[in-house]
Amino acid sequence: MAHPSLAQAQAISPTTTGVMVILTVKSGIMREQVTTLMPDEIRQTVRLYLNGKIREWYSRGDGRGAIFLLDTRDVAEAHAIMEDLPLARQHLIDHEYIAVGPLLPLRLLMANP
């Protein structure tokens, strides 16, 4: 039987404070197809950053895309933002969306003994 504070912490639904988006260039896409659209992709991405939609952004270590941490409250909003970018409109990249938030086990530390 679970400890009452553990059961209470598990019953709390996670709070989404952002959405991580992993962008991967689709297999079979030529580098030239991507680089042709990059000036527009970069301009629109910078606008999203300046408007507070992108909190953090990184290049993937394998060179196959990027990782964005969006300041959105759900995956649907993140999806709408990302699908409006040039590489997505041309179907050159895949997206993986992961809602993120505070680490749930930390609530156990805050529970009354």
Side-chain angles (χ1 to χ4, degrees):
M1 184 141 130
H3 188 275
S5 62
L6 177 60
Q8 181 182 10
Q10 290 174 340
I12 298 171
S13 45
T15 302
T16 299
T17 58
V19 175
M20 181 184 303
V21 184
I22 302 171
L23 294 83
T24 307
V25 175
K26 290 183 178 184
S27 63
I29 299 297
M30 303 301 293
R31 184 174 207 81
E32 295 77 27
Q33 292 174 276
V34 173
T35 56
T36 300
L37 294 173
M38 283 311 290
D40 285 338
E41 182 84 8
I42 292 168
R43 275 191 289 278
Q44 289 185 36
T45 302
V46 169
R47 271 191 214 106
L48 289 171
Y49 173 76
L50 294 174
N51 290 332
K53 293 297 183 184
I54 296 176
R55 188 180 316 158
E56 297 178 43
W57 47 3
Y58 302 95
S59 293
R60 286 181 45 152
D62 61 6
R64 295 191 54 228
I67 299 172
F68 293 162
L69 181 56
L70 300 183
D71 194 12
T72 61
R73 298 292 176 225
D74 58 47
V75 170
E77 182 183 358
H79 190 272
I81 290 168
M82 298 309 296
E83 290 300 317
D84 197 37
L85 292 171
L87 292 174
R89 286 194 313 259
Q90 294 298 314
H91 308 288
L92 300 180
I93 56 174
D94 289 321
H95 300 89
E96 180 181 353
Y97 298 90
I98 304 168
V100 298
L103 192 60
L104 285 177
L106 293 178
R107 293 191 189 279
L108 291 174
L109 295 174
M110 304 307 293
N112 292 330

